[in-house]
Amino acid sequence: MAKKEFDFSTMVCFLLNSTSNAMIRDYRPQLIEFDLTYPQYLVMMTLWNEDAILIKEISKETFFDSGTLTPILKRLESKNYIKRVASQEDERAKLIQLTEEGINLKEKTAHIFKDMECKIALSEEEQAQIVKICNKILVKLEVKES
Amino acid sequence: MAKKEFDFSTMVCFLLNSTSNAMIRDYRPQLIEFDLTYPQYLVMMTLWNEDAILIKEISKETFFDSGTLTPILKRLESKNYIKRVASQEDERAKLIQLTEEGINLKEKTAHIFKDMECKIALSEEEQAQIVKICNKILVKLEVKES
DNA sequence: TATAATTGATTTGTGCACAAAATATTTGCT
DNA sequence: AGCAAATATTTTGTGCACAAATCAATTATA
């Protein structure tokens, strides 16, 4: 077989993108049962970690920019999983709070989170390698602080 | 600091997605100079590897489904980088061919491809680890054959 | 204390990514 | 030959991802 000039199977950006697309696609059916998309699920996890935070704090955790978050939060609000409350100290800012239903979702979706990591069954070593390499790239591209 | 239940910095799906987003975002300015997006650039690379192929073959290489490819190919056609020619053997299928301008783009964008891999400066070892792990996941999720 | 600069969030517009349905053609079966 | 199943692509509709522009509120500064 003639060697091809552009070998996708060794291109970092292509591999990361294809693999993340594949994982998000694979878990879509499970999330759909709770009327969630993957980015919406990430925002919910952020709030399960710490409730009643500002949009810019969610942005810092998820790396989603505000233009991405605004519509995601609107959808979560229309599903009654969160509330958007104007901040008292700063009229520009908005506090995002879980509703009762949003809080309850944490237990109900716990198995999805476990599946998320289990299905691909990486070894401890591989897991550690991925974490190290991705975080290194994120720091190099100034998405994260070192 | 209280330990958070959901630690994004060790979640494989989140890391792969954030890192690929960051890489694609980072190289956008360079691609814009040639009026290309990252997915469009991938399709062009596929054609630089082998010209005059069917859409389903591009789909097999890039892992983009046909509903994703159709509009990408339309945009590349309107930029005059490719032509879409009905196949003679099978009236359903379409052959995608590079135009003169599309062929010339290969040399002009060669530096971008090099930057793509160089800027993040992974070691040989890290590069090999990423390739192995991502391909393993892609096989597990049945995107690729083992 | 005006006003300039900054900040938090929303809006607008483009382009994926994907599922599901539609369309047209080809292949397989009897 | 006739018709069902399969195949290649397009269409439709939803939801990111992001840049750029906008808006309102806050802070800094002349």
Side-chain angles (χ1 to χ4, degrees), chain A residues 46-47 50-61 69 73 85-90 92-97:
Chain A
T46 308
L47 293 166
E50 190 182 358
D51 197 1
I53 57 178
L54 297 173
I55 294 178
K56 68 166 182 171
E57 296 180 271
I58 299 178
S59 173
K60 216 165 278 170
E61 292 294 318
L69 278 173
L73 293 169
V85 188
S87 163
Q88 299 297 22
E89 308 98 61
D90 189 336
R92 291 169 304 184
K94 276 183 188 134
L95 281 168
I96 306 300
Q97 273 188 312

Side-chain angles (χ1 to χ4, degrees), chain A residues 1 5 17-18 30 36 41 47 55-56 73 121 132 135:
Chain A
M1 175 165 48
E5 183 156 358
N17 188 236
S18 305
Q30 299 200 57
L36 287 175
Y41 181 53
L47 293 166
I55 294 178
K56 68 166 182 171
L73 293 169
K132 181 163 163 274
N135 282 307

Side-chain angles (χ1 to χ4, degrees), chain A residues 20-137:
Chain A
S20 91
N21 283 346
M23 290 185 71
I24 292 171
R25 193 189 316 126
D26 196 70
Y27 289 100
R28 186 164 300 142
Q30 299 200 57
L31 289 171
I32 285 287
E33 288 180 41
F34 301 96
D35 201 12
L36 287 175
T37 64
Y38 180 71
Q40 289 166 19
Y41 181 53
L42 278 182
V43 170
M44 293 303 289
M45 285 196 272
T46 308
L47 293 166
W48 291 328
N49 274 339
E50 190 182 358
D51 197 1
I53 57 178
L54 297 173
I55 294 178
K56 68 166 182 171
E57 296 180 271
I58 299 178
S59 173
K60 216 165 278 170
E61 292 294 318
T62 58
F63 308 139
F64 294 149
D65 82 352
S66 64
T68 300
L69 278 173
T70 296
I72 290 176
L73 293 169
K74 276 188 186 165
R75 287 184 194 107
L76 288 174
E77 190 176 30
S78 78
K79 290 170 206 190
N80 230 329
Y81 290 156
I82 62 161
K83 275 184 303 227
R84 278 136 42 102
V85 188
S87 163
Q88 299 297 22
E89 308 98 61
D90 189 336
E91 294 284 337
R92 291 169 304 184
K94 276 183 188 134
L95 281 168
I96 306 300
Q97 273 188 312
L98 290 166
T99 62
E100 198 63 28
E101 213 179 326
I103 293 169
N104 292 338
L105 213 54
K106 183 180 170 182
E107 294 306 315
K108 293 189 197 165
T109 56
H111 65 287
I112 298 178
F113 174 65
K114 279 162 198 156
D115 292 355
M116 274 281 193
E117 304 286 283
C118 284
K119 174 153 182 178
I120 55 169
L122 296 187
S123 68
E124 289 286 326
E125 197 188 7
E126 290 168 326
Q127 166 86 23
Q129 288 168 353
I130 274 281
V131 168
K132 181 163 163 274
I133 296 170
C134 285
N135 282 307
K136 174 177 169 176
I137 297 175

Side-chain angles (χ1 to χ4, degrees), chain B residues 35-138:
Chain B
D35 201 12
L36 286 175
T37 64
Y38 180 71
Q40 288 165 20
Y41 181 53
L42 278 181
V43 170
M44 292 303 289
M45 284 195 274
T46 309
L47 293 166
W48 290 327
N49 273 339
E50 191 182 357
D51 197 1
I53 57 177
L54 297 173
I55 293 176
K56 68 165 183 172
E57 297 181 271
I58 299 177
S59 173
K60 214 165 279 169
E61 292 293 318
T62 58
F63 308 138
F64 294 148
D65 82 353
S66 64
T68 300
L69 278 173
T70 296
I72 290 175
L73 292 169
K74 276 188 188 165
R75 287 184 194 106
L76 288 174
E77 190 176 32
S78 78
K79 290 170 208 193
N80 232 328
Y81 290 156
I82 63 161
K83 275 184 303 225
R84 278 137 41 100
V85 189
S87 163
Q88 299 298 22
E89 307 98 62
D90 189 337
E91 293 284 338
R92 292 169 304 183
K94 277 183 187 134
L95 281 168
I96 306 299
Q97 273 187 313
L98 290 167
T99 61
E100 198 63 29
E101 213 179 326
I103 293 168
N104 293 337
L105 213 55
K106 182 179 171 183
E107 295 305 317
K108 293 189 198 166
T109 56
H111 64 287
I112 298 178
F113 175 66
K114 279 162 199 157
D115 292 356
M116 276 281 193
E117 305 285 284
C118 285
K119 173 152 184 180
I120 54 170
L122 297 186
S123 67
E124 289 286 327
E125 198 187 6
E126 289 169 326
Q127 166 85 24
Q129 289 169 353
I130 274 280
V131 169
K132 181 163 164 275
I133 296 169
C134 286
N135 281 308
K136 174 177 169 177
I137 298 174
L138 288 172

